Amino acid sequence: MKIFPLLLLAVLITSGCATHQSPTGRSQTLLFSAQEMSQLGDSSFAELKKREKISNHETLNQYVDCVANRITRALPDQSQPWEVIVFDSKQVNAFALPGGHIGVYTGLLNVAVNEHQLATVIGHEVAHVLANHSNEQVSRAQMTGAGMQLADLALGVGGMSNQEVYMAALGLGVQVGYTLPYGREQESEADIMGIELMAKAGFDPAQSVELWRNMAKVGGEQGPELLSTHPSHGQRISQLQLMQDKAQPLYEANRISVKNSCRRPK
C-alpha cells in the first residue's frame, strides 16, 4: 500500500508533461517550470560553493568575469543576472546552471589558452541552459525512476531530498560522483548554439577548433572530465569546422578592439 502514493505521484507528474522543440528542432519533454529549474540551479550552486574551494586570485577572477559577462550580454534575454565563480581546482571543467550561474575551474585555463577558447567553453555551457537541457535531464530522471523524490520539486513540496541526483541531472556528475550525463544530441546542440553565441559576443569562433584540439591532447583517449560524454574529438572538430562559414560573419560584425579585449593574466 505504501507504493501506491508514489505511483500516483508519478502519474500526476508525468501527466502534466509538455512536449517542446529545442532550438534546433529536436523534440523535448519538459516536466518542470523555469522557476522550478532556477530554484534547483540556485540550490545546487550554493551547495557547490560549500564543497569546492573558491579562487581568490583577483586578476584571474577578473579575466573569467570579463569573458563570461561578454557571453551573457550577448543573450537575447537580459533580465537574468548571472553569477560567475572561479573554483580553484585542477579539474578541466566548467558548467552553467539555470538561475544564472557559471562555474569555471582553474584547470580549464591550462587548456583554454586564450579568451576565445575560454569563451568556447562558457558559450557551450550557457547554451545547455538556453536549450533547457537541464530541464530535459531532470525530467528524464523523473520518468525513468532515477530519482522518484524529484517529484518533491515539481509539486512544490520543496527540499533537496535527493540532492546527488538533482545535481547530476544538471550536468554536475563529476562534482557529485553520480553520473547522469547530457546525451550526445544535447552536446552537439550546445556546440551549435555555443559557437554562434561566442561569435555574437565578439570572440573568434575559429578558436573553438583549436580549443577542442587542445582538449583532445589532455587525459589520453577519454580526455578531461568536460569531455566524458561528449562526441568524439574528431566528430566535434569536424562539426565546428563546418560551422565557421556561418559563425565568422557574426564575429566580424561584433569583434572588438584588442584594447578592449579580455586579457588573460600571465
Side-chain angles (χ1 to χ4, degrees), residues 225-250:
E225 296 92 339
L226 189 63
L227 299 180
S228 58
T229 61
H230 291 213
S232 69
H233 305 316
Q235 179 184 350
R236 164 164 266 149
I237 289 170
S238 295
Q239 177 174 286
L240 290 171
Q241 287 173 327
L242 290 173
M243 293 169 60
Q244 294 301 313
D245 286 346
K246 182 178 180 180
Q248 280 294 328
L250 293 174

Side-chain angles (χ1 to χ4, degrees), residues 66-242:
C66 180
V67 175
N69 289 338
R70 277 176 53 188
I71 290 289
T72 57
R73 283 199 301 268
L75 298 176
D77 181 5
Q78 289 296 299
S79 63
Q80 173 68 67
W82 287 79
E83 176 185 14
V84 182
I85 296 291
V86 179
F87 294 102
D88 189 0
S89 168
K90 293 181 180 179
Q91 279 192 45
V92 180
N93 211 352
F95 62 86
L97 298 177
H101 308 285
I102 294 172
V104 174
Y105 288 79
T106 53
L108 175 63
L109 304 180
N110 296 322
V111 181
V113 298
N114 57 44
E115 67 267 31
H116 306 284
Q117 294 184 15
L118 178 58
T120 300
V121 179
I122 294 177
H124 174 93
E125 298 302 325
V126 169
H128 277 307
V129 176
L130 295 183
N132 289 312
H133 291 165
S134 300
N135 194 333
E136 193 175 8
Q137 287 293 91
V138 177
S139 300
R140 185 176 299 164
Q142 170 65 49
M143 291 186 294
T144 59
M148 183 60 71
Q149 293 177 10
L150 288 170
D152 292 354
L153 185 68
L155 294 182
V157 176
M160 289 284 282
S161 52
N162 207 354
Q163 191 176 66
E164 305 304 305
V165 178
Y166 283 126
M167 296 175 75
L170 291 175
L172 300 174
V174 171
Q175 290 83 347
V176 300
Y178 185 105
T179 303
L180 196 62
Y182 289 124
R184 296 202 173 191
E185 285 185 338
Q186 293 167 321
E187 291 295 346
S188 294
E189 197 165 60
D191 277 346
I192 293 169
M193 296 174 64
I195 194 170
E196 291 187 14
L197 181 56
M198 70 176 291
K200 289 177 181 178
F203 294 104
D204 184 1
Q207 284 293 313
S208 64
V209 176
E210 298 307 314
L211 179 277
W212 294 115
R213 284 175 176 156
N214 292 348
M215 286 285 194
K217 298 174 185 176
V218 179
E221 183 179 349
Q222 292 300 316
E225 296 92 339
L226 189 63
L227 299 180
S228 58
T229 61
H230 291 213
S232 69
H233 305 316
Q235 179 184 350
R236 164 164 266 149
I237 289 170
S238 295
Q239 177 174 286
L240 290 171
Q241 287 173 327
L242 290 173

